[in-house]
């Protein structure tokens, strides 16, 4: 654990310590981008997909977000089998296999098949995601952990922005099918990146030694009040994020805003500030502690909610930018916390956190979708605000380990 992080993760030698850090962050972020680019990019196509399958916003929103069900399943599987999965091989195979359901989405004949393929995508994505988080937690020193996790979540943010822009542009010009074929190629590119950037043979002692069976380790993490609260924070973070960025699409394409598909894609430039601010999460935790950093993210996200009921585009965009900034920052803080707080069986802890996180997304799409269809957008926003408030309350139960970090 005392070795330089870049020698652990990246096989390319960098000429200076700063170049090491930049190269490390770039590879970590690009891996994250190519791992989860399929997860949220499809949300930019929601209105078009709803018309294509002739279904309601809630039905289409649930089908698109069925990937979160697969993400939760895959994360739990990784949590239970983490100690026996070689990190490089597991991540590589997950991304290579991910390209198959992604390509098949191009020809999905109906909504149930579409939803099933999204579940399969989720299993592959979360396997790669959880194994990478476990790898970072095992290979980083305590001082490197915050920055490494922040770089990974930043790649996640970038995939949300760039993936949606690509999806909107390609679907508008070349059709829905071409979009899914392109994303399948991006999954394969991620597999190639992992193959060449992660050490093939892990050093003796870098992998966690598991003295208990995986189920016992899982139960042990659930009994830890701090980790349990972090898992529930993750649930609420994606609950709020999914609720916002799934159903706002239907608000934006209807009067008075009436955006077309290409304009809808450009709306996701609201993620751009988050690409930079999320990188600061590790430094914020070291300086201010986990609780204060998490609450700051939630307050920023909450400040954006009232703006989403405006009848003009500018305040809506500002509100979306604040929600993205706050939730991504909170996600980086919570993810880093789990990586630090789990003293052993980090793979189990990472998988368990992601299972809760993505279950939150699934519940968010289902519960808030019903609110949106039956009551309206304002009721949906109240549900999102309730989830953000719950995160603030849960943060008080985290063990603030600022000095240790």
């Amino acid at each position: 654990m005392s070795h330089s992080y870049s020698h652990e993760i990246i096989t390319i030698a960098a000429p200076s310590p700063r170049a090491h850090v930049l190269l490390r962050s770039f590879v970590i972020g690009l891996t994250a981008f190519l791992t989860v680019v399929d997860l949220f990019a499809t949300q930019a196509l929601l209105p078009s997909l709803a018309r294509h399958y002739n279904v309601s916003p809630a039905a289409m929103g649930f089908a698109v977000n069925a990937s979160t069900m697969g993400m939760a399943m895959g994360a739990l599987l990784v949590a239970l089998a983490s100690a026996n999965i070689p990190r490089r091989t597991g991540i590589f195979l997950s991304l290579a296999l991910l390209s198959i359901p992604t390509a098949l989405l191009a020809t999905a004949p109906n909504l149930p098949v579409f939803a099933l393929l999204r579940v399969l995508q989720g299993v592959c994505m979360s396997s790669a995601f959880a194994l990478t988080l476990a790898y970072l937690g095992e290979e980083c020193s305590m001082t490197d952990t915050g920055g490494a996790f922040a770089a990974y979540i930043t790649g996640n943010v970038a995939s949300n922005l760039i993936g949606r822009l690509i999806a909107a542009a390609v679907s508008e010009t070349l059709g829905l099918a071409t979009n899914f074929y392109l994303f399948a190629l991006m999954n394969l590119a991620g597999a190639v990146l992992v193959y060449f950037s992660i050490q093939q043979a892990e050093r003796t002692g870098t992998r966690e030694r598991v003295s208990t069976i995986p189920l016992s380790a899982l139960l042990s993490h659930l009994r830890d009040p701090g980790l349990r609260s972090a898992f529930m924070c993750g649930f609420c973070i994606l609950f709020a994020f999914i609720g916002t960025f799934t159903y706002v699409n239907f608000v934006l394409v209807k009067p008075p805003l009436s955006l077309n598909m290409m304009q809808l894609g450009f709306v996701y430039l609201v993620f751009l500030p988050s690409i930079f601010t999320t990188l600061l999460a590790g430094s914020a935790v070291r300086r201010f502690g986990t609780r204060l950093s998490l609450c700051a993210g939630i307050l920023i996200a909450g400040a954006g909610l009232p703006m989403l009921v405006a009848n003009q585009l500018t305040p809506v965009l500002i509100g979306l930018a604040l929600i993205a900034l706050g939730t991504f920052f909170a996600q980086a803080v919570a993810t880093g916390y789990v990586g630090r707080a789990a003293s052993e069986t980090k793979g189990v802890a990472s998988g368990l956190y992601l299972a809760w996180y993505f279950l939150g997304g699934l519940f968010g799409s289902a519960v808030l979708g019903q609110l949106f269809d039956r009551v309206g957008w304002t009721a949906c926003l109240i549900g999102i605000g309730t989830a953000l408030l719950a995160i603030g309350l849960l943060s008080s139960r985290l063990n603030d380990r600022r000095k240790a970090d």
Side-chain angles (χ1 to χ4, degrees):
M1 295 295 286
S2 61
H3 296 87
S4 171
Y5 174 82
S6 57
H7 291 294
E8 300 281 354
I9 298 294
I10 301 170
T11 57
I12 304 171
S16 69
R18 179 167 177 77
H20 277 261
V21 174
L22 291 174
L23 181 59
R24 175 194 72 184
S25 297
F26 174 76
V27 172
I28 292 171
L30 185 58
T31 301
F33 175 91
L34 295 170
T35 298
V36 295
V37 70
D38 303 278
L39 182 58
F40 296 120
T42 311
Q43 287 184 346
L45 310 176
L46 272 167
S48 293
L49 287 168
R51 288 193 299 270
H52 178 75
Y53 288 107
N54 193 28
V55 294
S56 70
M60 196 68 243
F62 186 79
V64 164
N65 291 316
S67 54
T68 58
M69 183 188 300
M71 295 290 278
M73 291 164 55
L76 276 176
L77 289 173
V78 169
L80 292 172
S82 174
N84 300 315
I85 302 175
R87 301 305 189 232
R88 180 199 189 210
T89 302
I91 300 167
F92 171 79
L93 287 177
S94 295
L95 291 175
L97 291 172
L98 173 59
S99 65
I100 297 173
T102 303
L104 290 175
L105 281 169
T107 55
N110 52 50
L111 198 62
V113 172
F114 185 96
L116 177 60
L117 290 171
R118 287 291 284 170
V119 171
L120 294 176
Q121 275 189 309
V123 171
C124 295
M125 281 187 282
S126 69
S127 298
F129 199 100
L131 288 171
T132 304
L133 290 183
Y135 186 73
L136 295 179
E138 291 158 4
E139 302 299 330
C140 295
S141 67
M142 289 295 283
T143 54
D144 280 337
T145 300
F149 280 97
Y152 196 73
I153 301 303
T154 299
N156 187 348
V157 178
S159 73
N160 269 272
L161 167 59
I162 300 171
R164 291 173 199 252
L165 288 173
I166 292 172
V170 172
S171 298
E172 179 83 2
T173 55
L174 301 174
L176 288 170
T178 303
N179 165 79
F180 292 116
Y181 291 134
L182 175 62
F183 277 88
L185 290 175
M186 293 172 72
N187 301 149
L188 292 174
V192 172
L193 175 66
V194 166
Y195 185 85
F196 287 106
S197 66
I198 290 182
Q199 293 277 82
Q200 181 171 9
E202 297 171 54
R203 289 181 173 83
T204 302
T206 57
R207 176 79 66 82
E208 60 191 0
R209 296 182 183 276
V210 181
S211 56
T212 57
I213 61 173
L215 184 58
S216 297
L218 187 147
L219 293 174
S220 175
H221 290 316
L222 285 174
R223 285 193 293 266
D224 183 302
L227 281 174
R228 190 168 62 243
S229 296
F231 300 153
M232 295 170 69
C233 283
F235 180 97
C236 293
I237 288 170
L238 197 59
F239 184 100
F241 180 88
I242 286 278
T244 302
F245 289 98
T246 295
Y247 299 107
V248 75
N249 292 282
F250 296 101
V251 175
L252 291 170
V253 299
K254 291 180 179 179
L257 300 176
S258 303
L259 302 186
N260 62 35
M261 183 58 64
M262 200 65 202
Q263 290 171 328
L264 188 61
F266 281 113
V267 162
Y268 292 103
L269 287 171
V270 297
F271 291 135
L272 193 58
S274 302
I275 294 177
F276 303 101
T277 57
T278 304
L279 280 170
L280 303 175
S283 299
V285 169
R286 286 192 295 272
R287 183 170 181 180
F288 302 110
T290 299
R291 295 173 192 163
L292 191 57
S293 299
L294 186 61
C295 286
I298 295 312
L299 285 172
I300 292 169
L305 285 177
M307 301 183 186
L308 300 190
V309 296
N311 291 326
Q312 295 180 326
L313 186 59
T314 299
V316 172
L317 293 178
I318 294 172
L320 289 174
L322 289 173
I323 293 169
L325 191 154
T327 52
F328 278 123
F329 189 88
Q331 162 69 339
V333 172
T335 306
Y337 174 85
V338 172
R340 294 188 303 274
S343 57
E344 58 182 16
T345 58
K346 292 179 184 291
V348 176
S350 294
L352 194 53
Y353 172 81
L354 289 176
W356 277 86
Y357 178 72
F358 291 114
L359 276 175
L362 182 66
F363 275 80
S365 64
V367 173
L368 297 174
Q370 290 302 311
L371 281 176
F372 182 80
D373 270 4
R374 296 172 185 271
V375 187
W377 180 227
T378 301
C380 189
L381 292 177
I382 292 171
I384 294 165
T386 303
L388 294 178
L389 179 61
I391 297 169
L393 295 174
L394 287 165
S395 67
S396 64
R397 301 173 63 187
L398 301 179
N399 299 317
D400 213 326
R401 302 178 59 177
R402 173 176 47 178
K403 293 181 181 179
D405 298 337

